[in-house]
């Protein structure tokens, strides 16, 4: 009997942990636009957001955050999705906004899928980097992650760091510090997204559907607009080991960028005859 009770308790503990890990989206997120385009499955543990010619859609976190390690499992539309932007990002909702972006730029079916990252500080962006993904992002879910602390921002695809934006305020480079909301959206980027806007949306494939899982948020929530506590080393992502990439992460980062990077604003001499300060630091 004791063994049976212990087994039941262990199973219950496992089930509670599993449920805590895989929570419904509406625990941490609200639908922010396109309600009619949002469908949930598995008691809210998987979400479909879609776009047609009438509207896109999206969700946003109920809280704003001052630092964190943010992630979402995403599966992209499985048909021709040129001009369709799916974004997972942090945004400050202020006039001079801070923003940290993942943007999937759509593609003509059969071509490599472009993923763009960008960083905005006080309303200024234009820090785009683009890469090709080494897998089919429409076939299954992959994990996209943003680590943001006061030392660096790191973008990950699964466990591979694909971009690092360091805090270089000491040489006059701005760095995101404003409280930010976490969002996942789908919208019409026909004018610029795919091949610089040359490849247009084929609306006969609409509605375009993207899928999301894993709605936990590992961030420092803002209370009474106070962000000071969000740099505390009580949050694991602020500890010294996360102030820079480890040697093994740096190796993955370098290998990935050699093989898959397609654009870096730091290398664009037409836009920036004089490279931005962060590009030469």
């Amino acid at each position: 009997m004791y063994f049976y009770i212990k087994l039941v308790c262990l199973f219950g503990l496992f089930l509670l942990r599993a449920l805590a890990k895989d929570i419904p989206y509406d625990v941490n997120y609200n639908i922010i636009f396109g309600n009619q385009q949002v469908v949930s499955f598995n008691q809210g543990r998987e979400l479909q957001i879609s776009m047609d010619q009438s509207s896109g859609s999206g969700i946003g976190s109920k809280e704003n955050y001052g630092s964190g390690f943010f992630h979402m499992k995403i599966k992209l539309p499985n048909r021709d999705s040129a001009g369709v932007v799916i974004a997972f990002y942090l945004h400050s909702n202020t006039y001079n906004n801070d923003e940290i972006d993942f943007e999937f730029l759509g593609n003509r079916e059969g071509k490599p899928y472009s993923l763009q990252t960008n960083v905005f500080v006080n309303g200024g962006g234009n820090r785009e980097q683009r890469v090709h993904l080494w897998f089919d992002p429409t076939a299954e879910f992959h994990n996209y992650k943003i680590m943001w602390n006061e030392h660096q921002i790191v973008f990950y695809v699964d466990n591979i760091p694909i971009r690092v934006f360091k805090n270089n305020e000491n040489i006059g480079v701005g760095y995101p510090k404003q409280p930010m909301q976490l969002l996942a959206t789908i919208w019409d980027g026909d004018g610029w997204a795919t091949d610089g806007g040359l490849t247009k949306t084929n609306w006969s494939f609409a509605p375009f559907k993207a899928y999301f899982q894993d709605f936990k948020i590992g961030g420092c929530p803002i209370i009474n607009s106070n962000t000071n506590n969000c740099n505390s080393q009580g949050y694991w992502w602020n500890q010294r080991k996360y102030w820079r990439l480890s040697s093994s992460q740096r190796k993955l980062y370098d290998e990935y960028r050699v093989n898959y990077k397609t654009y870096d604003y730091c290398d664009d001499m037409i836009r920036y005859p004089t490279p931005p300060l962060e590009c030469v630091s």
Side-chain angles (χ1 to χ4, degrees):
M1 177 62 71
Y2 171 78
F3 175 78
Y4 173 76
I5 294 173
K6 186 175 181 181
L7 188 63
V8 169
C9 290
L10 287 172
F11 177 77
L13 182 61
F14 171 81
L15 184 60
L16 285 172
R17 287 176 175 173
L19 290 173
K21 181 179 179 182
D22 192 16
I23 62 175
Y25 80 93
D26 57 1
V27 172
N28 289 322
Y29 293 89
N30 289 320
I31 299 171
I32 55 172
F33 71 103
N35 293 53
Q36 72 280 7
Q37 307 280 20
V38 179
V39 180
S40 66
F41 307 96
N42 190 22
Q43 298 180 311
R45 292 179 173 85
E46 182 174 327
L47 202 67
Q48 171 193 293
I49 65 174
S50 65
M51 182 186 78
D52 58 21
Q53 286 181 287
S54 69
S55 175
S57 55
I59 58 173
S61 62
K62 297 178 180 180
E63 302 280 355
N64 290 329
Y65 299 91
S67 69
F69 190 75
F70 307 97
H71 69 280
M72 191 82 79
K73 292 179 180 176
I74 304 172
K75 185 168 68 171
L76 302 184
N78 63 357
R79 296 184 292 181
D80 189 316
S81 61
V84 179
V85 176
I86 291 104
F88 174 55
Y89 60 110
L90 291 153
H91 179 77
S92 66
N93 295 310
T94 54
Y95 178 74
N96 292 315
N97 66 295
D98 288 353
E99 190 167 301
I100 304 170
D101 294 340
F102 274 118
E103 293 176 318
F104 302 91
L105 301 184
N107 77 324
R108 194 60 86 207
E109 193 167 6
K111 291 189 175 182
Y113 221 110
S114 287
L115 170 62
Q116 176 170 282
T117 58
N118 204 350
V119 177
F120 287 73
V121 182
N122 292 323
N126 298 320
R127 298 180 177 91
E128 302 94 343
Q129 292 186 6
R130 290 189 285 274
V131 298
H132 280 158
L133 296 172
W134 63 97
F135 52 83
D136 179 359
T138 74
E140 57 188 3
F141 287 92
H142 288 268
N143 215 334
Y144 302 90
K145 311 173 187 178
I146 300 168
M147 190 188 73
W148 170 39
N149 60 35
E150 64 176 328
H151 301 279
Q152 64 176 358
I153 296 163
V154 184
F155 297 82
Y156 296 86
V157 176
D158 293 326
N159 292 316
I160 297 177
I162 65 165
R163 181 177 183 177
V164 178
F165 186 82
K166 301 291 290 184
N167 186 339
N168 284 309
E169 288 184 301
N170 61 316
I171 60 170
V173 177
Y175 191 77
K177 286 187 170 180
Q178 298 183 60
M180 290 194 274
Q181 183 184 23
L182 188 61
L183 303 105
T185 59
I186 182 169
W187 43 278
D188 181 7
D190 179 86
W192 67 273
T194 308
D195 301 325
L198 297 176
T199 303
K200 299 298 185 179
T201 305
N202 184 343
W203 290 105
S204 68
F205 289 107
F208 302 98
K209 301 174 183 179
Y211 298 88
F212 296 81
Q213 293 178 345
D214 203 349
F215 301 104
K216 300 186 310 297
I217 299 179
C220 169
I222 300 302
I223 301 173
N224 298 325
S225 301
N226 183 3
T227 63
N228 293 333
N229 184 56
C230 289
N231 295 328
S232 165
Q233 292 196 33
Y235 293 107
W236 64 263
W237 54 82
N238 291 328
Q239 295 172 11
R240 182 176 292 272
K241 65 184 291 187
Y242 300 105
W243 293 5
R244 60 185 59 84
L245 296 183
S246 67
S247 57
S248 59
Q249 287 177 325
R250 172 58 65 172
K251 182 178 179 182
L252 284 172
Y253 171 81
D254 290 340
E255 289 176 354
Y256 178 85
R257 291 175 66 80
V258 165
N259 290 311
Y260 298 104
K261 184 183 73 174
T262 61
Y263 176 82
D264 188 339
Y265 75 107
C266 287
D267 301 329
D268 193 334
M269 299 301 294
I270 295 175
R271 289 176 68 190
Y272 299 105
T274 301
L277 285 174
E278 67 267 25
C279 298
V280 296
S281 62

